[in-house]
């Protein structure tokens, strides 16, 4: 909070000072231009240009004037320079970077022209003053902060010493040593804290004992689950079925090697994990005899995700694949958790079925329709 307050105050001061520098310099230059114009008129009337040059020299010694230039036709221009150096760092100078301030006006007295006057402003002096003011403000602020730190240290030192003992006990507990009791004592606040830490140590010691027992039980259960998972993966890899399992977000969580072989996928089953199943099916659609039919039917069953579905597809290479779609749900909440896709090569069964159907309706010798098939037709 202190740092935020300091930074906010500094930004506000810079913002106000930036506007002040530009406004103050411009106002002073305008006021000076009227005064210089009067001097020019007087010098032309009295023909005393030496005095006018002295006045110019005096004006440019002021911190807000950089250059005074006067020119009239038929005479040599009169000009005076003064540039007060900046003693501030470059980063402070950049905060007040602004366009040059200058005033150009014609000197006119009762309708008579006395040339043109140009005065350029210089804000270096104001910036230098702001720099010293900021240094003074920062030193004062640092002194106040130092006094506050000393007061806080004197007030909190006894409590800090008592807390150091508790800190060592806390480090001992953090390292896992729970057998040694906490040292109870000190002021009222520290005493209450030490009592709470002692209760915490006893609770941690009891929880550690329970956790060790639970870890032992979980280790036994984990070993059993790992054996079951290995057995299940071996079973799915040995089945004559291509298996693809996806989660509720349609990302692959498991596939067997036969699935990669069926659809000529160069990736291994492990490499397929995490891929979108829809992308895989779109990449393999050209292997089907009717790619559009395959895509439409896959999209229709995935959109519903209500019941199992079986579909037979013809492949470009003459094979016939039986696709089984099985939605998977949580046993407790019945929430949808994923999909199971099974593919089986039924080419021989399909060809045998077609052959038996043909033989049932045709004469084996002539190849013509049988009498019953003919009458039905």
């Amino acid at each position: 909070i202190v740092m935020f307050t300091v930074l906010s105050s500094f930004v506000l001061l810079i913002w106000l000072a930036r506007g002040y520098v530009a406004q103050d310099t411009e106002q002073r230059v305008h006021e000076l231009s009227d005064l210089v114009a009067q001097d020019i008129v007087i010098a032309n009337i009295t023909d005393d240009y030496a005095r006018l040059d002295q006045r110019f020299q005096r004006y440019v010694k002021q911190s807000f004037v950089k250059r005074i230039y006067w020119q009239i036709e038929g005479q040599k221009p009169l000009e005076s320079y003064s540039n007060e150096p900046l003693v501030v760092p470059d980063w402070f100078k950049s905060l007040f970077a602004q366009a040059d301030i200058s005033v150009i006006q014609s000197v006119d007295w009762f309708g008579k022209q006395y040339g043109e006057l140009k005065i350029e402003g210089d804000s270096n002096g104001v910036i230098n003053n702001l720099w010293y003011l900021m240094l003074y403000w920062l030193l004062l602020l640092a002194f106040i902060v130092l006094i506050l730190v000393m007061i806080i240290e004197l007030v909190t030192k006894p409590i800090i010493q008592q807390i150091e003992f508790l800190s060592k006990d806390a480090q001992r507990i953090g390292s896992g040593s729970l057998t040694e009791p906490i040292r109870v004592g000190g002021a009222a606040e520290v005493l209450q804290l030490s009592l709470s830490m002692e209760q915490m140590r006893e609770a941690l010691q009891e929880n550690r004992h329970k956790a060790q027992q639970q870890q032992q039980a979980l280790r036994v259960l984990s070993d059993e689950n790992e054996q079951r998972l290995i057995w299940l993966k071996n079973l799915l890899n040995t089945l004559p079925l291509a298996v693809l399992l996806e989660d509720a977000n349609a990302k692959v969580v498991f596939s067997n090697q036969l699935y990669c072989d069926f659809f000529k996928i160069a990736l291994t089953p492990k490499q397929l994990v995490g891929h979108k199943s829809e992308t895989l099916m779109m990449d393999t659609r050209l292997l089907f005899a009717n790619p559009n039919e395959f895509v439409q039917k896959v999209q229709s069953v995935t959109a519903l995700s209500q019941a199992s579905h079986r579909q037979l597809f013809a492949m470009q290479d003459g094979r016939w694949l039986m696709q089984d779609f099985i939605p998977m749900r949580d046993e407790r909440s019945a929430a949808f958790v994923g999909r199971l896709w099974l593919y089986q090569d039924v080419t021989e069964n399909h060809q045998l079925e077609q052959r038996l159907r043909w033989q049932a309706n045709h004469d084996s010798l002539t190849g013509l329709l049988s009498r019953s098939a003919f009458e039905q037709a």
Side-chain angles (χ1 to χ4, degrees):
I1 296 177
V2 175
M3 291 300 298
F4 177 76
T5 304
V6 172
L7 291 177
S8 301
S9 302
F10 180 73
V11 173
L12 179 61
L13 178 63
I14 293 299
W15 181 74
L16 294 175
R18 182 183 178 91
Y20 167 76
V21 169
Q23 184 178 2
D24 181 73
T25 304
E26 184 176 1
Q27 181 180 357
R28 291 189 178 189
V29 169
H30 279 284
E31 293 175 354
L32 181 64
S33 64
D34 295 335
L35 185 60
V36 174
Q38 295 177 10
D39 292 337
I40 292 174
V41 172
I42 295 173
N44 280 273
I45 294 175
T46 61
D47 200 23
D48 187 1
Y49 296 104
R51 181 176 178 277
L52 180 62
D53 183 59
Q54 293 177 358
R55 300 282 291 182
F56 279 11
Q57 296 293 336
R58 184 185 305 172
Y59 290 145
V60 295
K61 291 180 180 180
Q62 302 184 47
S63 60
F64 62 91
V65 180
K66 181 178 181 180
R67 176 174 177 257
I68 300 178
Y69 179 83
W70 173 68
Q71 182 179 15
I72 187 171
E73 185 177 356
Q75 293 186 15
K76 183 180 179 181
L78 192 60
E79 183 177 18
S80 295
Y81 282 96
S82 177
N83 189 11
E84 183 175 350
L86 276 174
V87 296
V88 302
D90 292 338
W91 64 268
F92 190 81
K93 177 183 177 181
S94 62
L95 295 177
F96 299 92
Q98 55 187 343
D100 294 335
I101 299 175
S102 62
V103 174
I104 301 176
Q105 69 177 38
S106 297
V107 181
D108 187 6
W109 182 260
F110 290 102
K112 185 175 181 180
Q113 297 292 331
Y114 291 99
E116 184 180 68
L117 172 65
K118 180 178 181 181
I119 302 178
E120 296 180 1
D122 188 0
S123 57
N124 289 356
V126 180
I127 296 176
N128 288 338
N129 293 334
L130 289 175
W131 169 250
Y132 292 123
L133 178 62
M134 188 194 71
L135 291 180
Y136 171 77
W137 180 78
L138 289 177
L139 289 174
L140 180 62
L141 181 63
F143 177 75
I144 295 174
V145 171
L146 180 61
I147 295 299
L148 291 176
V149 170
M150 293 177 63
I151 294 175
I152 293 173
E153 184 179 0
L154 291 175
V155 173
T156 59
K157 186 175 181 180
I159 300 176
I160 292 175
Q161 289 178 349
Q162 296 172 355
I163 292 177
E164 286 179 354
F165 295 109
L166 290 180
S167 177
K168 294 179 181 179
D169 291 335
Q171 292 177 359
R172 177 170 50 81
I173 294 175
S175 63
S177 178
L178 302 176
T179 56
E180 186 177 351
I182 299 295
R183 288 173 289 184
V184 179
E189 296 82 0
V190 180
L191 177 61
Q192 182 63 35
L193 179 59
S194 60
L195 290 174
S196 301
M197 289 184 62
E198 175 61 19
Q199 294 176 359
M200 180 187 66
R201 184 196 65 82
E202 295 175 354
L204 288 174
Q205 190 174 14
E206 183 179 356
N207 291 337
R208 173 184 287 184
H209 180 67
K210 292 181 179 179
Q212 290 175 350
Q213 293 178 345
Q214 292 177 355
Q215 287 178 359
Q216 182 65 26
L218 289 175
R219 190 178 297 109
V220 174
L221 182 61
S222 177
D223 294 339
E224 293 177 357
N225 290 336
E226 186 175 359
Q227 292 296 328
R228 292 175 183 174
L229 183 60
I230 294 174
W231 178 84
L232 179 60
K233 287 184 177 181
N234 291 334
L235 176 63
L236 293 176
N237 285 322
T238 55
L239 286 176
L241 296 173
V243 181
L244 180 68
L245 179 62
E246 62 180 38
D247 59 14
N249 297 321
K251 290 187 178 181
V252 177
V253 295
F254 175 80
S255 66
N256 60 0
Q257 184 60 44
L258 189 58
Y259 178 82
C260 298
D261 297 339
F262 268 18
F263 297 104
K264 300 178 182 179
I265 299 176
L267 301 177
T268 63
K270 287 186 178 180
Q271 293 173 338
L272 284 183
V273 175
H275 284 69
K276 296 285 287 187
S277 59
E278 182 180 358
T279 303
L280 293 177
M281 294 180 181
M282 290 297 294
D283 292 341
T284 59
R285 70 184 187 280
L286 298 179
L287 298 176
F288 290 82
N290 192 339
N292 293 331
E293 178 189 10
F294 169 72
V295 172
Q296 292 175 359
K297 291 185 176 180
V298 167
Q299 291 177 346
S300 63
V301 296
T302 54
L304 296 176
S305 299
Q306 297 294 330
S308 302
H309 183 79
R310 170 170 286 189
Q311 181 66 40
L312 184 66
F313 292 105
M315 308 297 289
Q316 291 280 4
D317 56 5
R319 292 180 299 157
W320 288 85
L321 292 184
M322 181 67 71
Q323 180 194 70
D324 286 295
F325 165 78
I326 305 174
M328 304 179 65
R329 300 187 176 277
D330 187 84
E331 294 181 356
R332 298 178 181 178
S333 62
F336 176 75
V337 295
R339 304 181 183 90
L340 177 64
W341 302 86
L342 301 176
Y343 294 90
Q344 183 179 6
D345 190 343
V346 294
T347 304
E348 294 183 0
N349 293 340
H350 182 75
Q351 292 176 350
L352 178 60
E353 181 183 352
Q354 294 289 83
R355 192 180 307 113
L356 292 176
R357 185 180 291 111
W358 188 90
Q359 291 177 357
N361 296 311
H362 293 78
D363 182 75
S364 60
L365 179 61
T366 63
L368 300 176
L369 288 173
S370 63
R371 179 174 181 177
S372 61
F374 179 78
E375 290 176 351
Q376 183 179 0

